[in-house]
Amino acid sequence: MSQRLFILFTSSALLLSGCASGTFKARQEQREKLAASTGMYCEFVSGDLNPDLDVELSMQMARRCDANRNFSITNYKNSSDQNGVIYCCASTKKGAVTAKKATSAPAPKAETEDPNAEVISE
């Protein structure tokens, strides 16, 4: 009897977690599409998961935000009681970034000095 309850409970938990992760993935995809079409992006950064919150916030904003546009940062506590911040910003144009990289000339290679080379004075 207890084995059947355990199996029923375990299968129910797996089914619910599978549905929840599918919903989460669909919401993430929807957010990415909206961010791409509107140019606006918002993200929650957990202070509980990231003890160096300022460093994590800077890295995420550097990846996603246009540095020349205004942004907002707000302290926030989510429904799971995790403290953190929400940042919203204008997202970078990925097409413009790749176009700049494609047109830039490669940097000239610096010649390295041989530490074993002899110096001959004239």
Side-chain angles (χ1 to χ4, degrees):
M1 176 72 170
S2 63
Q3 187 179 13
R4 286 185 182 176
L5 285 175
F6 177 73
I7 291 172
L8 180 64
F9 177 74
T10 305
S11 61
S12 297
L14 290 174
L15 180 65
L16 290 175
S17 67
C19 292
S21 65
T23 303
F24 179 75
K25 186 176 181 180
R27 297 286 290 168
Q28 290 286 89
E29 290 173 359
Q30 182 182 21
R31 179 181 69 161
E32 292 297 324
K33 286 179 185 176
L34 284 171
S37 66
T38 63
M40 184 69 167
Y41 183 79
C42 293
E43 179 73 44
F44 174 74
V45 182
S46 172
D48 295 343
L49 298 177
N50 301 294
D52 54 349
L53 182 62
D54 55 336
V55 174
E56 182 65 25
L57 180 65
S58 296
M59 289 189 316
Q60 285 193 24
M61 289 183 74
R63 280 191 293 259
R64 295 299 302 233
C65 300
D66 183 355
N68 298 320
R69 308 274 305 269
N70 291 334
F71 61 89
S72 68
I73 300 173
T74 307
N75 288 327
Y76 188 77
K77 182 182 273 192
N78 69 8
S79 60
S80 301
D81 281 339
Q82 288 183 333
N83 289 313
V85 294
I86 288 184
Y87 70 91
C88 292
C89 62
S91 58
T92 57
K93 304 283 188 215
K94 290 191 178 195
V97 172
T98 56
K100 285 181 185 177
K101 286 183 180 180
T103 59
S104 64
K109 293 185 179 182
E111 293 183 16
T112 58
E113 294 182 10
D114 184 5
N116 298 324
E118 295 180 11
V119 177
I120 301 173
S121 60
E122 295 179 7

